[in-house]
């Protein structure tokens, strides 16, 4: 892996090493919730350390952004064709103990935002890595995914979100959750599938300024900083450009009559 390794990345590496050792004892091993960037980094490490066939990320529902790393024991590879299949089948009860959720419902007198829920929960002393996604249902309620270790604390310890008195109940249908993220459609053309061309189209920067942003470390590809302007983009993937936003690259949809490539993407709004 190229480039200097941050203290946070070193800690992720150490935690993965510990998970690998524990899995060799025949255990299903689960970590704490990771941000998308942390998840991308630890996935690369799992490939380098030769445990990718036993590695998966689980967030409770299909569109989850924050997920926990899981390593299945080597003997379990005989019970399915992939780590996902084995973990969600053979170890389903263990995963249900690891990932739980509560529904928080306000009184209705004021709208509650993602920031309100997160800030109030963290103020209780709960670490961020014990919390998964916070899925907003409407202006007055949300589902909070959490580690099993803090489930009871959330269920019985939350009385207010911001200035609103709330009620908290167990939420059982995590897998059925659907994110309500909003996107702005982008349909453009690029000269090639290079990162600098795509970034220029997404951000409305000139190609030269897009190259400067990439070389300055302002661009992430699938949550990992990418400084190579000529990196080929293979959809689907996520591109983030600091100061401009995050983009979901869906496809390159053929060529125009002039030989330019059609770019289909979404901007997170």
């Amino acid at each position: 892996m190229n480039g200097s390794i941050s203290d946070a990345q070193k800690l992720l590496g150490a935690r993965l090493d510990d998970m690998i050792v524990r899995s060799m004892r025949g255990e299903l091993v689960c970590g704490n919730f990771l941000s998308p960037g942390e998840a991308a980094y630890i996935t690369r490490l799992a490939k380098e350390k030769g445990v990718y066939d036993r590695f998966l990320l689980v967030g409770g529902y299909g569109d989850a952004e924050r997920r926990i790393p899981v390593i299945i024991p080597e003997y379990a590879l005989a019970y399915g064709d992939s780590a996902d299949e084995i973990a969600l089948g053979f170890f389903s009860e263990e995963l249900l103990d690891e990932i739980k959720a509560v529904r928080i419902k306000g009184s209705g007198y004021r709208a509650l935002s993602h920031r309100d829920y997160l800030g109030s929960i963290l103020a209780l002393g709960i670490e961020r890595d014990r919390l998964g996604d916070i899925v907003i249902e409407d202006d007055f309620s949300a589902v909070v995914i959490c580690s099993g270790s803090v489930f009871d604390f959330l269920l019985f310890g939350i009385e207010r979100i911001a200035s609103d008195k709330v009620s908290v109940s167990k939420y059982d249908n995590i897998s059925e959750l659907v994110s309500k993220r909003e996107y702005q459609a982008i349909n453009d053309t690029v000269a090639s599938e290079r990162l600098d061309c795509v970034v220029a189209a997404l951000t409305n920067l000139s190609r030269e300024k897009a190259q400067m942003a990439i070389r300055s470390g302002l661009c992430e590809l699938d949550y990992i900083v990418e400084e190579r302007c000529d990196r080929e983009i293979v959809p689907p993937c996520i591109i983030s450009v600091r100061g401009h936003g995050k983009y979901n690259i869906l496809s390159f949809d053929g060529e125009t009559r002039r030989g330019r490539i059609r770019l289909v993407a979404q901007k997170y709004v």
Side-chain angles (χ1 to χ4, degrees):
M1 198 171 296
N2 296 327
S4 59
I5 300 176
S6 68
D7 289 342
Q9 289 173 330
K10 290 178 182 177
L11 181 58
L12 280 175
R15 288 176 176 172
L16 180 62
D17 288 339
D18 178 65
M19 291 177 67
I20 293 170
V21 170
R22 289 167 57 197
S23 74
M24 293 173 66
R25 301 172 188 153
E27 302 177 33
L28 176 79
V29 187
C30 301
N32 295 325
F33 283 99
L34 303 174
S35 69
E38 291 170 332
Y41 181 76
I42 204 170
T43 299
R44 289 174 62 183
L45 284 182
K47 291 178 180 178
E48 290 184 358
K49 294 176 182 292
V51 296
Y52 187 66
D53 61 335
R54 301 193 286 120
F55 175 87
L56 68 152
L57 295 161
V58 182
Y61 69 108
D63 202 25
E65 281 203 343
R66 293 182 61 82
R67 295 174 289 172
I68 65 170
V70 177
I71 298 182
I72 63 173
E74 193 166 5
Y75 76 84
L77 290 174
Y79 294 94
D81 295 328
S82 69
D84 293 70
E85 177 186 333
I86 296 166
L88 298 177
F90 195 72
F91 295 106
S92 58
E93 291 188 10
E94 288 91 335
L95 289 177
L96 287 174
D97 288 336
E98 290 290 337
I99 300 180
K100 295 182 178 293
V102 297
R103 172 183 273 142
I104 303 176
K105 189 171 182 60
S107 67
Y109 99 90
R110 59 155 290 184
L112 298 172
S113 67
H114 186 283
R115 181 177 295 181
D116 290 328
Y117 291 104
L118 181 60
S120 296
I121 293 171
L122 294 182
L124 297 174
I126 292 179
E127 298 292 334
R128 185 68 177 99
D129 64 6
R130 299 301 194 276
L131 300 176
D133 284 7
I134 298 175
V135 181
I136 304 298
E137 294 186 303
D138 53 42
D139 285 345
F140 311 111
S141 66
V143 174
V144 180
I145 299 175
C146 64
S147 297
S149 61
V150 299
F151 170 73
D152 285 342
F153 186 85
L154 292 180
L155 187 61
F156 300 109
I158 298 176
E159 297 181 352
R160 290 185 175 275
I161 296 296
S163 58
D164 191 18
K165 187 171 179 60
V166 299
S167 60
V168 185
S169 59
K170 181 181 179 182
Y171 186 84
D172 289 320
N173 302 317
I174 306 176
S175 63
E176 299 175 9
L177 285 171
V178 177
S179 172
K180 294 186 178 180
R181 301 185 191 100
E182 295 183 359
Y183 305 93
Q184 175 187 336
I186 297 176
N187 292 278
D188 208 334
T189 63
V190 293
S192 80
E193 297 166 357
R194 287 170 46 121
L195 178 60
D196 55 355
C197 294
V198 174
V199 168
L202 295 173
T203 60
N204 291 318
L205 292 172
S206 67
R207 188 167 173 181
E208 290 73 19
K209 289 185 177 180
Q211 290 174 342
M212 289 177 59
I214 294 167
R215 290 170 179 151
S216 298
L218 302 181
C219 182
E220 293 182 354
L221 175 60
D222 285 334
Y223 303 104
I224 301 293
V225 173
E226 180 55 75
E227 298 180 359
R228 293 172 293 174
C229 294
D230 62 352
R231 173 71 182 269
E232 181 180 354
I233 300 305
V234 180
C237 62
I238 301 293
I239 292 177
S240 301
V241 185
R242 194 181 309 166
H244 294 274
K246 183 167 75 170
Y247 307 86
N248 185 14
I249 311 304
L250 300 176
S251 67
F252 292 115
D253 190 19
E255 295 187 1
T256 67
R257 292 180 180 179
R258 297 185 177 183
R260 291 180 65 82
I261 300 169
R262 295 186 182 91
L263 169 67
V264 182
Q266 299 169 322
K267 181 178 182 179
Y268 289 71
V269 296

